[in-house]
């Protein structure tokens, strides 16, 4: 497929140019005007496909400050900055990569070690065959941190669907969790707690199924407003597989029913949420007897990690860190 990614845009371009020559030489009137739009469409697809191939190659070749670690049959990218402990581990949302933490990680690194990583099929990490459920993701992360030499217990931070992912990790490795910060986390019981979620998920699944094909011809980014890195064919396949495995991951996240008295802060965006979201966030706060719920009325789901509200998200992480180090209660 990598080789075909370079060949097929050139072949389609050559075919379109040849067709254009034949149309000019042989067709007149309505026949010409019916054929020209098809030729233009072929050229657009070829151009989009060529740009996608170049973007994908650039993303693969891009160097990062972190390192690639073999976790058993495939490698994951992890980038840690700062020093000290407990280490903060950042888990991105559905289909996202470590780059989504670019604004938050530097604000935490002066105080402790902070690590962001790419799940398989995202960012710089290797692709794998087929979807991974929450347990597979937790196993990968556990191996990654161990082999990267990042000692626990950790402060786990999850945004959106990263929330259920870190809950699965905490259920599987409870002794390696010192505290948790959940940034507008997706409820683990979303299919039951959110009346509109089944329909929303069905739409996501449909879009995810065609995303790799749209990415191959360069239309995914323009249609969905994604960055160049998010609209590569590899990223589209990774996001598709995560969407397909999400119901299983959510069910697995429900295995975590309590963090005991370990500090937990849930930061909820109050703007643009679907019915039932705030009530589900309140239930999530009940995971710990030492928890705080911070609702930001003007914040949106994405502004917590890439907009005007990143300071509040960073502060939540630092507050949990201080509570662990000093033994004081959250406020």
């Amino acid at each position: 497929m990598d080789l075909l990614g370079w060949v097929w845009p050139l072949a389609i371009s050559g075919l379109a140019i040849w067709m254009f020559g034949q149309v000019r030489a042989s067709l007149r009137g309505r026949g010409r005007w019916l054929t020209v739009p098809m030729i233009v469409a072929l050229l657009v697809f070829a151009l989009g496909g060529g740009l996608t191939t170049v973007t994908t190659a650039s993303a693969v070749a891009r160097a990062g400050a972190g390192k690639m670690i073999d976790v058993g049959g495939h490698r994951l990218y992890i980038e840690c900055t700062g020093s000290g402990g407990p280490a903060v581990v950042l888990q991105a949302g559905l289909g996202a990569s470590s780059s989504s933490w670019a604004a938050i990680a530097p604000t935490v690194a002066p105080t402790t070690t902070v690590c962001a990583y790419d799940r398989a099929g995202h960012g710089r990490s290797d692709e794998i065959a087929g979807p991974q459920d929450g347990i597979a993701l937790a196993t990968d992360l556990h191996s990654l941190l161990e082999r990267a030499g990042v000692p626990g217990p950790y402060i786990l931070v999850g945004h959106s669907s990263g929330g259920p992912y870190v809950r699965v990790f905490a259920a599987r490795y409870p002794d390696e969790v010192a505290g948790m910060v959940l940034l507008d986390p997706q409820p683990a019981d979303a299919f039951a707690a959110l009346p509109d979620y089944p329909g929303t998920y069905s739409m996501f699944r449909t879009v995810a199924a065609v995303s790799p094909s749209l990415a191959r011809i360069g239309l995914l980014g323009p249609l969905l407003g994604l960055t160049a890195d998010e609209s590569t064919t590899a990223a589209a396949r990774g996001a598709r597989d995560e969407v397909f495995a999400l119901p299983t991951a959510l069910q697995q996240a429900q295995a975590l029913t309590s963090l005991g008295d370990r500090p937990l802060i849930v930061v909820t965006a109050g703007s643009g949420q679907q019915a039932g979201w705030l009530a589900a966030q309140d239930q999530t706060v009940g995971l710990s007897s030492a928890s705080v719920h911070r609702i930001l009325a003007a914040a949106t789901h994405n502004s917590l990690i890439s907009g005007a509200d990143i300071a509040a998200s960073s502060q939540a992480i630092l507050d949990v860190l201080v509570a662990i180090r000093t033994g004081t209660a959250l406020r």
Side-chain angles (χ1 to χ4, degrees):
M1 289 301 297
D2 290 339
L3 177 61
L4 287 176
W6 294 99
V7 172
W8 80 260
L10 295 176
I12 294 296
S13 296
L15 174 63
I17 293 171
W18 177 82
M19 290 175 62
F20 182 73
Q22 295 300 306
V23 167
R24 289 194 62 185
S26 306
L27 291 180
R28 296 290 183 274
R30 181 177 298 179
R32 173 180 291 187
W33 295 114
L34 290 175
T35 308
V36 167
M38 181 177 65
I39 297 174
V40 172
L42 287 175
L43 287 172
V44 170
F45 290 162
L47 176 61
L51 291 175
T52 298
T53 299
V54 172
T55 300
T56 301
S58 300
V60 171
R62 188 180 69 247
K67 50 189 175 182
M68 299 286 286
I69 303 290
D70 191 311
V71 297
H74 58 279
R75 301 173 305 155
L76 299 182
Y77 176 82
I78 184 169
E79 184 171 333
C80 296
T81 52
S83 61
V88 173
V89 178
L90 305 172
Q91 182 71 271
L94 190 71
S97 67
S98 58
S99 63
S100 63
W101 298 104
I104 290 179
T107 67
V108 179
T111 310
T112 192
T113 302
V114 56
C115 299
Y117 84 107
D118 294 329
R119 296 186 293 272
H122 298 282
R124 300 175 177 87
S125 291
D126 291 343
E127 286 190 78
I128 60 171
Q132 288 185 298
D133 62 14
I135 291 176
L137 294 176
T139 302
D140 266 8
L141 178 56
H142 182 261
S143 298
L144 176 64
L145 294 169
E146 184 179 67
R147 297 181 185 186
V150 183
Y154 312 104
I155 297 175
L156 301 176
V157 181
H159 172 249
S160 190
S161 296
Y165 293 156
V166 299
R167 286 182 61 169
V168 176
F169 185 96
R172 300 281 291 181
Y173 308 102
D175 293 338
E176 298 191 15
V177 180
M180 191 178 289
V181 176
L182 300 176
L183 304 175
D184 215 32
Q186 183 174 24
D189 60 347
F191 283 95
L194 307 178
D196 298 332
Y197 189 75
T200 301
Y201 174 76
S202 179
M203 179 190 67
F204 280 159
R205 187 179 175 91
T206 300
V207 173
V210 300
S211 288
S213 298
L214 292 174
R216 175 58 64 186
I217 59 176
L219 294 180
L220 183 62
L223 287 176
L224 299 185
L226 302 177
T227 66
D229 286 351
E230 294 170 335
S231 56
T232 65
T233 51
R237 286 192 294 264
R240 175 201 60 196
D241 289 348
E242 282 196 354
V243 170
F244 286 3
L246 184 60
T248 301
L250 293 179
Q251 184 177 29
Q252 292 164 342
Q254 295 179 53
L256 180 72
T257 58
S258 177
L259 287 167
D261 61 355
R262 283 168 287 187
L264 163 68
I265 294 180
V266 177
V267 182
T268 298
S271 177
Q273 301 291 18
Q274 59 185 297
W277 187 266
L278 292 179
Q281 300 280 299
D282 282 333
Q283 288 189 335
T284 302
V285 177
L287 286 173
S288 171
S289 61
S291 61
V292 171
H293 192 186
R294 298 176 179 174
I295 302 175
L296 306 182
T300 65
H301 190 66
N302 290 326
S303 72
L304 292 175
I305 60 166
S306 61
D309 300 295
I310 58 173
S313 299
S314 299
Q315 190 60 54
I317 298 171
L318 296 174
D319 288 347
V320 167
L321 176 65
V322 170
I324 293 169
R325 286 178 172 176
T326 64
T328 55
L330 292 170
R331 291 184 297 174

